[in-house]
Amino acid sequence: MPTVEVADLKSDDFLLDVREDDEWQAGHAEGALHIPISDFVARYGELTEAAPQDGRVHVICRSGGRSAQVTMYLVQQGIDAVNVDGGMQVWAAAGRPVVTDGGLPGHVL
């Protein structure tokens, strides 16, 4: 499965967060698109509208398991998608910003 390290992500990379609502509300990467894995198939159109036409979708969850499932689904749909290795836990540990919807500092559940 295609993966990418947190350290290799650029600030303008398209990020899809598939964690559940409570996890998102506690803290997320600024600018990420949030579609929980539990709603993903029903809300798939939101991703295709928001994702860059010929760009890559970087899929993230807490640790990499759920995002791996979504990444494989997207690849099967012909989308250039990669799993963010280690997820939001590694994101936060690497010192990347974690924010709430209000822009305040957040944390990873």
Side-chain angles (χ1 to χ4, degrees):
M1 167 183 6
T3 61
V4 65
E5 301 291 324
V6 167
D8 295 329
L9 290 173
K10 297 186 261 348
S11 61
D12 61 343
D13 283 337
F14 183 84
L15 194 62
L16 170 65
D17 190 325
V18 297
R19 296 174 303 145
E20 296 303 322
D21 289 335
D22 60 331
E23 295 172 286
W24 171 265
Q25 290 166 2
H28 54 269
E30 190 171 10
L33 174 65
H34 178 230
I35 304 176
I37 191 171
S38 58
D39 296 338
F40 189 75
V41 174
R43 294 177 56 190
Y44 178 74
E46 292 177 42
L47 171 66
T48 58
E49 287 179 23
Q53 285 294 77
D54 294 320
R56 175 170 280 175
V57 175
H58 301 81
V59 188
I60 197 166
C61 67
R62 182 174 185 266
S63 61
R66 290 171 285 178
S67 55
Q69 294 174 41
V70 172
T71 299
M72 290 307 296
Y73 175 81
L74 292 175
V75 168
Q76 290 170 353
Q77 304 308 308
I79 293 177
D80 181 8
V82 293
N83 187 34
V84 178
D85 194 35
M88 286 298 296
Q89 290 179 318
V90 170
W91 179 277
R96 298 277 183 124
V98 177
V99 298
T100 64
D101 280 337
L104 299 173
H107 63 278
V108 178
L109 282 184

